[in-house]
Amino acid sequence: MQHLNTLFVGKVLLHFQELDSTNSHAQELLAKSKPVEGTIVLASAQPQGRGQHGSRWESEPGKNLTLSLILYPDFLPAWRNFVLNKAVSLAVRDCIAAFLPQKNVAIKWPNDIYVGDKKIGGILIQNTLQQSVIASTIIGIGLNINQTQFSAAVPNPTSLQLESGNEFALEIVLAALAERLEQYYLQLRAGNWEQLNTFYLQRLYRLGTNSVFQRIDGTVFRGVITGISDSGRLQISHDDFVETFDLKEVSFVH
Ligand code: BTN
């Protein structure tokens, strides 16, 4: 393992050749013990990888990073859980951007990581609440690193190798990711939520750009993303007013 320049993230690294899902494994660990904060569960192959909204996360064995990080952000009220999402998205975005300095790397709301108009990484956060705070969280991260072919079912995927033409050592990307996750988590713990908001907006895909959206009922409209509410809803300005959307209520057309 590459030397890790962190205080706690990844200091305990549980590396498996294969796990159905690192998030599910982390859930099992949390159900029967209290893993050290910062524990990372890593799998080289993850045949039942879970994505957002019950989708699947496809990853060719040995080519990518699929991992889950366990944290105890009990300083965070449950209603502010989206700021955790912001901190994690920024960490993953900055990690990818560090390896693709010439590319435009952005966060597509709520937490897809995009290079140009293609998805390179996804995040699945599972919080456990206790008395209105987040007692524990499992931060699942899938990053496409050296995979160059994807099944047709995966919408507009890309990888570090596809974007750069180079192959990457997974442990180097992992170390870079762990460092950024810790940096942003410490900012969150220090209460710098407004700064995280500002950074997140600076990195938001299509902020301020005229785009076409579709509501869940199928209606299509042209508008501009103007921001994100504290609770994480997407704010889109169109026809002289701002409409806010929850997950799944809206999608980009182009
Ligand atoms: C998405 O749909 O964009 C989120 C994908 C999250 C995938 C990661 S891979 C590691 C972790 N374990 C899982 O089963 N899913 C997450």
Side-chain angles (χ1 to χ4, degrees):
M1 174 65 196
Q2 175 80 7
H3 176 69
L4 264 188
N5 199 10
T6 56
L7 295 170
F8 59 99
V9 170
K11 288 288 172 184
V12 175
L13 178 65
L14 308 174
H15 186 183
F16 296 83
Q17 275 321 304
E18 181 173 315
L19 283 176
D20 279 352
S21 154
T22 58
N23 267 36
S24 303
H25 188 78
Q27 264 175 321
E28 285 161 23
L29 289 180
L30 272 165
K32 59 176 189 234
S33 65
K34 188 166 185 193
V36 175
E37 178 155 54
T39 295
I40 287 181
V41 178
L42 178 73
S44 297
Q46 189 188 231
Q48 306 293 331
R50 292 157 54 191
Q52 288 162 32
H53 317 298
S55 65
R56 285 203 49 203
W57 182 256
E58 175 185 308
S59 181
E60 195 180 327
K63 297 270 181 175
N64 301 315
L65 285 176
T66 48
L67 61 95
S68 300
L69 165 65
I70 298 173
L71 294 170
Y72 302 105
D74 52 10
F75 52 86
L76 200 60
W79 71 275
R80 291 305 305 262
N81 70 75
F82 199 73
V83 74
L84 170 66
N85 180 87
K86 287 176 177 164
V88 172
S89 302
L90 282 163
V92 180
R93 195 231 67 111
D94 285 6
C95 169
I96 293 296
F99 291 100
L100 296 175
Q102 317 294 350
K103 301 274 177 162
N104 183 20
V105 186
I107 302 164
K108 182 165 175 269
W109 175 83
N111 53 17
D112 288 346
I113 308 303
Y114 265 50
V115 181
D117 291 315
K118 292 186 168 166
K119 180 164 168 173
I120 197 165
I123 299 168
L124 180 66
I125 299 181
Q126 296 182 277
N127 295 325
T128 299
L129 309 181
Q130 236 166 48
Q131 280 142 11
S132 70
V133 297
I134 303 177
S136 65
T137 186
I138 297 168
I139 293 163
I141 300 172
L143 283 181
N144 299 331
I145 311 292
N146 295 319
Q147 184 166 344
T148 55
Q149 287 180 329
F150 294 85
S151 80
V154 184
N156 61 342
T158 192
S159 67
L160 276 186
Q161 181 160 354
L162 283 173
E163 293 296 327
S164 66
N166 301 321
E167 205 170 316
F168 289 81
L170 296 181
E171 62 271 23
I172 290 184
V173 184
L174 175 62
L177 177 64
E179 285 168 22
R180 284 166 182 80
L181 284 165
E182 181 167 291
Q183 283 163 15
Y184 277 104
Y185 185 64
L186 290 176
Q187 287 209 32
L188 183 73
R189 207 154 76 176
N192 298 335
W193 301 349
E194 279 319 308
Q195 201 179 23
L196 290 168
N197 277 336
T198 308
F199 288 161
Y200 182 87
L201 279 182
Q202 282 169 355
R203 300 304 184 195
L204 194 62
Y205 180 73
R206 298 257 184 110
L207 178 77
T209 309
N210 224 310
S211 308
V212 178
F213 301 91
Q214 185 169 30
R215 291 191 189 80
I216 200 164
D217 65 6
T219 52
V220 170
F221 63 99
R222 185 174 285 281
V224 175
I225 297 177
T226 52
I228 308 284
S229 73
D230 279 350
S231 60
R233 288 166 69 90
L234 186 67
Q235 299 166 330
I236 302 179
S237 161
H238 68 99
D239 304 304
D240 296 327
F241 76 103
V242 175
E243 188 173 351
T244 67
F245 294 91
D246 219 332
L247 281 176
K248 276 278 171 193
E249 287 178 353
V250 70
S251 58
F252 279 100
V253 179
H254 52 81

